[in-house]
Amino acid sequence: MRYAATPVPLFFVRGEGARLYDVDGNVHIDYVLGNGPAILGHAPRPVIDAVARSLGEGQVFAAQNPRETELSERLVNLLPGAEVVRFATSGTEAVLMAMRLARAFTGRDKILKFEGHYHGWSDQAYISARPPLNEAGPADSPVPVAGSLGMPASVLGDVVVCGWNDLDLLRQALERHKGEVAGVIMEPMMVNGGAAQPQPGYLDGARDLCREHGALFLCDEVITGFRLGLRGAQARFGVTADLAIYAKAVAAGFPLALVAGRREIMDTLLDKGVMHGGTYNGNVQSMAAALAALDVLEADDGAVYRDLERRGTRLMQGLADLARRHKVPAHIQGAPAIFQVHFTEGPAPRNYRDAVACDRDRALAFHAALQEEGVRVNQQAKFFLSTAHDDAIIEQTLSAADKAMASL
């Protein structure tokens, strides 16, 4: 069951390009894109054709197939620090694999993660992803907060929580838990907690602190990978993780995730008894989808990304102009392929606590007003763009946003 994201539940029967079609015959310009995977839009023809051709070959073999090797080789040549890749089915699973690898490699138990960073819904990871501030403790030493009923209290003892985008806070947290932290995991751009970019030098500084303390640096690129560029956020921001997790856009809507990283860490899967499994890992259709998606994304030295950046920048700037014209206090921040509108009189949010201080009611009102105009964003007023959002769709979106801003 999926809970309704609008006052009236939406049931969609078809997606094509940048649009969704609901059961009542309404057409929606879609900026949710399945929460990010549909980087090429819905039902992209090259991907659908490749998957259709693969269907008669079987689905799962519990053995290797040539597409796995081909995709692995291409990913190793593309992704920063990727000496070895290992496939999974979902981002949640791949995060758990990365955490297990970090613990096995370092011989330590604790994982340090950041407020507002989402790493899947597992007991081990869904901690302080969206904590109520009255439960989260002081900003300089947050306490772990379980994200769901049904999570055992014991998992909280293996997680250290820190405020993001502040090297002093990270340094202090690592000192408090000296010699205990196996890995530090973060979204290299805090997409889930407010589409905040890292401060200059923050990612490099975090990596250096990890090295100093003997912890692995883990980048969760489930959203940013293949969305912020062909080589992801690490290439965009100039940092290389020990392990990185990818999913969503890598197969343009088909279920695929992976962990990529240093060979000496990844080889613990082979020579140190680290278990990783999954019936659907490396399934034929997801491999075919990912290879076809890469063909499109890599063509002409990544030409589709240049168009995506240009159109996303136009949309971000257009929304900022509309907010000024309608005297609505707002910041539009993130990157052209994934950004969020924050309604606030204060500065642009740099971390989770800044983001939750923004005007949530106005964001919900903007979401609802856009929905009335046939434009679908999520309730945080977050926009995912695809290569199918052409110039005409951007202008249509801005026309709808003009009416939505006027209603706030």
Side-chain angles (χ1 to χ4, degrees):
M1 177 178 182
R2 293 189 182 274
Y3 294 96
T6 60
V8 178
L10 292 172
F11 288 79
F12 296 108
V13 295
R14 184 167 66 91
E16 182 178 353
R19 295 181 172 87
L20 286 174
Y21 300 78
D22 69 27
V23 294
D24 297 313
N26 300 305
V27 182
H28 308 252
I29 297 175
D30 185 28
Y31 289 100
V32 177
L33 297 179
N35 293 322
I39 186 71
L40 301 178
H42 296 287
R45 181 49 53 191
V47 175
I48 296 303
D49 287 347
V51 171
R53 289 193 297 270
S54 78
L55 286 171
E57 301 171 15
Q59 284 69 52
V60 290
F61 303 147
Q64 281 59 58
N65 68 79
R67 286 191 181 89
E68 277 187 286
T69 303
E70 181 184 352
L71 181 58
S72 298
E73 290 174 347
R74 290 178 68 172
L75 293 171
V76 165
N77 288 328
L78 273 177
L79 301 175
E83 296 174 355
V84 176
V85 301
R86 179 85 171 192
F87 296 118
T89 306
S90 72
T92 290
E93 296 171 64
V95 164
L96 288 171
M97 189 204 318
M99 289 180 173
R100 178 172 287 182
L101 286 167
R103 288 173 168 134
F105 186 77
T106 63
R108 301 172 178 180
D109 290 336
K110 292 186 185 295
I111 298 293
L112 188 151
K113 60 97 61 193
F114 296 87
E115 285 184 321
H117 291 227
Y118 176 74
H119 305 295
W121 61 270
S122 73
D123 289 350
Q124 292 83 0
Y126 194 43
I127 295 169
S128 296
R130 299 178 181 87
L133 294 189
N134 63 340
E135 300 177 19
D140 59 355
S141 57
V143 298
V145 179
S148 172
L149 293 175
M151 291 173 58
S154 58
V155 297
L156 301 178
D158 289 330
V159 175
V160 177
V161 177
C162 185
W164 191 65
N165 240 350
D166 187 323
L167 286 175
D168 286 338
L169 293 182
L170 178 56
R171 184 179 295 108
Q172 292 164 20
L174 287 169
E175 287 290 341
R176 283 195 300 270
H177 297 274
K178 199 173 187 68
E180 299 176 336
V181 176
V184 173
I185 187 169
M186 69 169 71
E187 297 177 76
M189 174 178 142
M190 189 184 67
V191 177
N192 283 287
Q197 296 211 24
Q199 293 293 298
Y202 179 73
L203 296 180
D204 286 338
R207 179 204 57 207
D208 292 346
L209 283 170
C210 287
R211 289 176 178 171
E212 178 185 334
H213 285 267
L216 298 187
F217 181 44
L218 315 180
C219 275
D220 182 343
E221 292 227 45
V222 166
I223 292 179
T224 57
F226 302 93
R227 175 163 286 282
L228 295 194
L230 188 60
R231 294 169 177 83
Q234 292 174 87
R236 191 181 186 101
F237 298 126
V239 69
T240 301
D242 295 305
L243 295 175
I245 303 110
Y246 300 86
K248 295 189 185 285
V250 65
F254 283 80
L256 178 63
L258 62 110
V259 175
R262 287 165 42 197
R263 179 175 296 278
E264 61 180 325
I265 303 168
M266 298 295 292
D267 279 355
T268 61
L269 287 162
L270 300 176
D271 59 20
K272 289 191 178 178
V274 175
M275 194 277 176
H276 166 247
T279 298
Y280 298 103
N281 295 346
N283 73 81
V284 173
Q285 279 67 57
S286 290
M287 297 293 101
L291 288 167
L294 283 180
D295 286 343
V296 177
L297 296 173
E298 288 186 275
D300 191 19
D301 194 28
V304 292
Y305 286 107
R306 294 191 287 276
D307 287 339
L308 187 59
E309 290 274 317
R310 176 179 60 80
R311 290 167 181 155
T313 298
R314 165 68 183 127
L315 182 54
M316 293 176 76
Q317 292 175 345
L319 290 169
D321 291 343
L322 289 172
R324 284 190 291 270
R325 185 190 312 165
H326 291 289
K327 296 182 171 53
V328 175
H331 293 284
I332 292 84
Q333 70 172 26
I338 169 64
F339 62 85
Q340 186 167 333
V341 181
H342 291 281
F343 297 95
T344 177
E345 300 275 2
R350 294 174 49 179
N351 55 43
Y352 171 73
R353 296 196 183 212
D354 289 348
V356 296
C358 295
D359 191 336
R360 171 71 171 161
D361 289 340
R362 186 166 269 183
L364 289 170
F366 183 58
H367 159 268
L370 281 177
Q371 187 71 68
E372 287 298 313
E373 297 297 325
V375 175
R376 183 177 182 241
V377 301
N378 74 8
Q379 290 186 316
Q380 295 174 309
K382 191 171 293 171
F383 288 70
F384 289 90
L385 268 75
S386 77
T387 61
H389 288 81
D390 60 20
D391 291 326
I393 287 174
I394 298 300
E395 295 309 315
Q396 188 177 346
T397 302
L398 289 172
S399 176
D402 191 4
K403 297 174 183 176
M405 288 280 187
S407 71
L408 298 182

